[in-house]
Amino acid sequence: MLIGKKPDIFPSEITSREVFDNRREFIKAAGFGLIASAASVAGLLPLDARAAVQRQQKINGIVKTPYGAGEKLTDYEDVTTYNNFYEFGTSKSDPASESRFFKPSPWTVSIEGEVKKPKRIAIEDIFKLAPLEERIYRMRCVEAWSMVIPWVGLPLAQLIKWAEPTGNAKYVEFISAADPQTMPGVRVPVLDWPYVEGLRMDEAMHPLTIMAVGLYGEVLPNQNGAPMRLVVPWKYGFKGAKSIVKIRFTEKMPQTAWMKAGPSEYGFYANVNPTVDHPRWTQASERRIGGGLFSPRIKTQMFNGYADQVGQLYTGMDLRKNY
Ligand code: MTE
């Protein structure tokens, strides 16, 4: 969302001054003299990622749901080769090509903060907490592109129930893996690693919020956040933290990675809202990935079209201030 160097990035994505200065601070702090791109750190030329797409292991016993019935799905190739996952680099093709050494198994998630007692859970046991469902969701990125993805996952509420938060838990923080050995982008301080996202407790418990463990009926590919990532379809895509290793319940609103990088651009709520533009991207319309270069832009809907289900969460809140 920050660096525009490749032709697949719009001129409007050029880094803002505030974000640039923040990043320069990180780079200085880390002792780098130059702004290096994650791709140059990896030292590899970009692969033809689309051609290299590999299908994943099938997940058995997925329960079909009515969510998203009738929506035209974004091709598997686009869902898995046009990604944002800065731990693997900042260009859209980096996550598919640079994540091959990342190991999503074995994997445990630690549960911390305002809980009866801190504990850990293995990914296999998360799979067993509730029947895995297919949910077809529209996904809207703050960069004004969108996809329709058939996720496989379980309601986050089920994992939260297992975690046993205390009455003091008002927010949930999601912390992604940040392993410089297998995630080359982490060696570059484009963000203050690890990637952190958060939700208010009622947002986290909402039935639309899921922990995704798969897509297209198969295990999540590394580039989409294996083995487990957050999916909140009424919010901009950056809320969906990938490859989560830690879930922390807190009394205070968490500081997310993007809030730290550019507080005037990336708010905590990040609800899809066509009436509040991002400083660098219109939020009134979007480009559906896979529709071709000349396909007409689509009008963006309030809460990404999920207003009937989630609008009441924000009654009385000024959504211009709480962006
Ligand atoms: N999670 C981590 N850990 N690192 C990231 O860079 N990018 C976010 C989000 N989750 C990101 C992340 C952004 S900006 C978007 S739009 C979505 O992941 C993209 O998800 P997708 O690549 O599966 O479509």
Side-chain angles (χ1 to χ4, degrees), residues 1 78-89 92 95 139-143 145 147 149 151 174-177 183 191 193-197 215 220-221 223-225 229-231 236-244 258 266:
M1 301 203 288
D78 288 320
V79 174
T80 59
T81 60
Y82 191 85
N83 300 104
N84 277 332
F85 200 168
Y86 277 19
E87 288 85 337
F88 295 109
K92 297 286 181 276
M139 303 304 296
R140 171 63 159 79
C141 181
V142 73
E143 295 162 331
W145 49 266
M147 297 190 186
I149 303 181
W151 296 109
F174 303 90
I175 298 137
S176 297
M183 302 173 114
L191 287 173
W193 309 113
Y195 195 95
V196 171
E197 258 307 336
L215 55 83
L220 270 187
Q223 59 269 35
N224 294 90
R229 60 87 60 81
L230 183 65
V231 174
Y236 294 117
F238 68 86
K239 295 299 288 180
K242 294 177 168 180
S243 304
I244 293 168
W258 284 109
Y266 305 102

Side-chain angles (χ1 to χ4, degrees), residues 16 99 248 256:
S16 75
S99 65
R248 190 185 292 136
T256 70

Side-chain angles (χ1 to χ4, degrees), residues 209-248:
T209 306
I210 59 169
M211 270 301 175
V213 295
L215 55 83
Y216 267 97
E218 301 168 9
V219 166
L220 270 187
N222 288 350
Q223 59 269 35
N224 294 90
M228 180 180 95
R229 60 87 60 81
L230 183 65
V231 174
V232 196
W234 72 94
K235 292 181 181 281
Y236 294 117
F238 68 86
K239 295 299 288 180
K242 294 177 168 180
S243 304
I244 293 168
V245 288
K246 204 180 282 181
I247 298 177
R248 190 185 292 136

Side-chain angles (χ1 to χ4, degrees), residues 2-39:
L2 292 173
I3 301 171
K5 283 195 179 136
K6 292 272 174 71
D8 62 350
I9 296 188
F10 306 129
S12 58
E13 291 178 34
I14 290 162
T15 307
S16 75
R17 186 65 209 212
E18 177 187 9
V19 171
F20 178 83
D21 286 345
N22 272 337
R23 196 171 67 221
R24 202 166 46 184
E25 283 312 304
F26 288 139
I27 288 168
K28 265 203 314 221
F32 284 79
L34 290 168
I35 296 183
S37 81

Side-chain angles (χ1 to χ4, degrees), residues 97-115:
S97 64
E98 305 305 321
S99 65
R100 60 197 178 285
F101 300 119
F102 179 71
K103 294 238 165 341
S105 166
W107 194 272
T108 56
V109 178
S110 73
I111 310 285
E112 301 180 0
E114 287 294 343
V115 281

